[in-house]
Amino acid sequence: MTWTILGSSGTVSARERAMRTLYDEDASPLYTYVLRLLGGDRHRAEDVVQETLLRCWRTQDVGGSEPLRPWLFRVARNIVIDEYRLRMTRPREVGGTAWLDELWAKPDGVDRMLSSMILKDAIRRLPPKHREVLYEIYYAGRSTREAALVLGVPPGTVKSRLHHAVRALRRAVSVRETVAEEAGGKPDWGYPSVA
């Protein structure tokens, strides 16, 4: 922030010189203080400092012997508090596209619904033997051996059918096996038990 203070005749008066000195000595620490109060909002901090110095110019004896720094800091703090209270009593103002950002940030379930529709369609296209294995392992929560007993097939066949069913579903919903490796863990849908 820079100021140019000139009188109407182009010369600088004693009061204006005192104000310039005050600005040179106190504006930077005042700005830092207000910036901290406002959580880093530079534009609002500049406005508060400008309002504080304007109030000082209007009401204080700038050229006097009293130090004005405590007064400046107190006035700046009061301005910040007043602005905060004013914002809390009014409805929140919405910027030009802020409502759009907030709209995109809110989960609305559409993605989940679309994913479930795609998954349901992919499961319908699986052969019945693969669907049975998926049902027993993931829905009924059975181990490979338990599913083999229920289905009347060897455990190796259950593992094979499960592998092919999961691979077909991955292709159907465009899930690459490398996604889990890149994320450094298991995918959300989990792995069947090996027991």
Side-chain angles (χ1 to χ4, degrees), residues 2-180:
T2 58
W3 277 21
T4 305
I5 304 174
L6 293 176
S8 58
S9 63
T11 60
V12 179
S13 69
R15 181 170 167 78
E16 291 166 342
R17 264 193 307 273
M19 190 65 190
R20 181 175 290 167
T21 303
L22 176 74
Y23 177 81
D24 291 341
E25 293 174 0
D26 295 330
S28 182
L30 182 65
Y31 175 76
T32 304
Y33 172 71
V34 172
L35 190 63
R36 221 179 15 236
L37 287 177
L38 294 173
D41 187 343
R42 295 179 181 276
H43 298 291
R44 285 184 46 220
E46 288 175 2
D47 290 343
V48 170
V49 169
Q50 183 178 6
E51 177 64 26
T52 303
L53 291 172
L54 184 61
R55 288 182 187 185
C56 180
W57 174 260
R58 289 181 183 159
T59 62
Q60 297 299 309
D61 180 19
V62 182
S65 61
E66 292 279 328
L68 290 175
R69 183 176 279 196
W71 184 91
L72 291 170
F73 277 68
R74 186 174 62 246
V75 168
R77 180 177 177 276
N78 290 343
I79 291 171
V80 170
I81 290 171
D82 289 346
E83 286 180 2
Y84 173 78
R85 288 177 179 161
L86 182 64
R87 276 195 321 276
M88 292 298 112
T89 59
R90 293 189 330 204
R92 195 172 73 123
E93 296 177 5
V94 179
T97 60
W99 65 273
L100 187 58
D101 296 337
E102 290 176 11
L103 180 67
W104 288 113
K106 291 180 184 175
D108 60 357
V110 172
D111 289 335
R112 190 171 197 183
M113 182 187 69
L114 290 175
S115 296
S116 68
M117 289 172 57
I118 292 169
L119 187 60
K120 191 182 287 185
D121 185 49
I123 290 173
R124 281 191 191 126
R125 286 193 251 140
L126 288 175
K129 294 179 181 180
H130 290 169
R131 279 191 301 224
E132 290 173 344
V133 169
L134 283 174
Y135 177 83
E136 294 298 328
I137 298 291
Y138 290 110
Y139 187 74
R142 302 187 198 286
S143 68
T144 305
R145 287 183 195 196
E146 293 169 340
L149 288 173
V150 169
L151 297 173
V153 295
T157 304
V158 170
K159 290 179 185 179
S160 174
R161 288 179 183 172
L162 185 62
H163 169 76
H164 290 292
V166 169
R167 194 172 80 193
L169 290 176
R170 281 184 184 157
R171 264 190 259 128
V173 294
S174 300
V175 176
R176 298 174 298 164
E177 293 181 30
T178 57
V179 171

